[in-house]
Amino acid sequence: MYSDALLTDILRRTRSIAVVGVSANPVRPSFYVARYLSLKGYRVIPVNPGHAGKELFGETVRATLADIEEPVDMVDIFRRSEAVPEIVDEALMAFGSLQTIWMQIGVEHKDAAAQAEARGVTVIQNRCPKIEYQRLFGELRQGGFATGIISSKL
């Protein structure tokens, strides 16, 4: 559904990512995905009202997207699909230069995606940026996975 070129472009041009629904529990996927992205050089701004004010990945956890004053390139959504419309509305209002809305594996909302796309925002649904980063930039090959990406680098 999404070309490797599109996903690569998104991951290369993105600098800051607001992760909505991040957990402070290190065994939760939202925690280790956000941590991985921060270790890859992205500025990860955690968003979770239950952890607001705490620190994760060198950033203060924000209660809402509206609490972020800095520019955000991507909003990564770790919430159920039914919560997506409200998050997309808030993201579109909060960030005039938003480039990407990324919905995690199992998260999809056709109408909210269409609304964001109509505003010029790229939308990725039912994918994980951590997995795509590892696949597209060669990290999965090191573990013996066939990624479909041909490269002379390991």
Side-chain angles (χ1 to χ4, degrees):
M1 180 176 197
Y2 305 108
S3 73
D4 288 350
L6 172 65
L7 297 173
T8 300
D9 179 57
I10 291 168
L11 294 169
R12 283 197 172 131
R13 66 181 148 105
T14 297
R15 297 286 173 253
S16 59
I17 305 171
V19 180
V20 178
V22 71
S23 174
N25 182 342
V27 301
R28 300 284 303 192
S30 62
F31 179 93
Y32 61 77
V33 167
R35 180 177 178 275
Y36 174 88
L37 294 171
S38 73
L39 292 172
K40 290 299 170 185
Y42 297 100
R43 179 176 184 198
V44 173
I45 303 170
V47 179
N48 184 323
H51 300 298
K54 297 178 185 173
E55 189 171 301
L56 285 175
F57 327 115
E59 293 281 343
T60 301
V61 179
R62 316 299 167 86
T64 67
L65 291 172
D67 294 333
I68 301 172
E69 295 177 7
E70 305 89 331
V72 168
D73 299 321
M74 177 194 295
V75 172
D76 184 14
I77 302 175
F78 269 98
R79 297 283 313 279
R80 294 178 191 257
S81 297
E82 52 269 17
V84 167
E86 182 179 327
I87 295 166
V88 168
D89 286 344
E90 187 179 6
L92 293 174
M93 286 182 58
F95 312 117
S97 61
L98 183 65
Q99 298 172 16
T100 308
I101 301 253
W102 194 302
M103 300 179 211
Q104 280 292 331
I105 294 172
V107 182
E108 297 179 285
H109 199 286
K110 184 179 78 167
D111 293 339
Q115 176 190 357
E117 288 169 342
R119 293 270 302 269
V121 176
T122 301
V123 178
I124 305 297
Q125 300 182 77
N126 196 27
R127 295 279 184 106
C128 176
K130 174 186 180 289
I131 292 170
E132 296 304 328
Y133 187 99
Q134 290 175 314
R135 183 178 71 83
L136 294 166
F137 296 101
E139 293 182 11
L140 288 179
R141 284 195 309 272
Q142 294 172 357
F145 292 94
T147 62
I149 307 294
I150 299 172
S151 172
S152 61
K153 297 186 301 183
L154 276 179

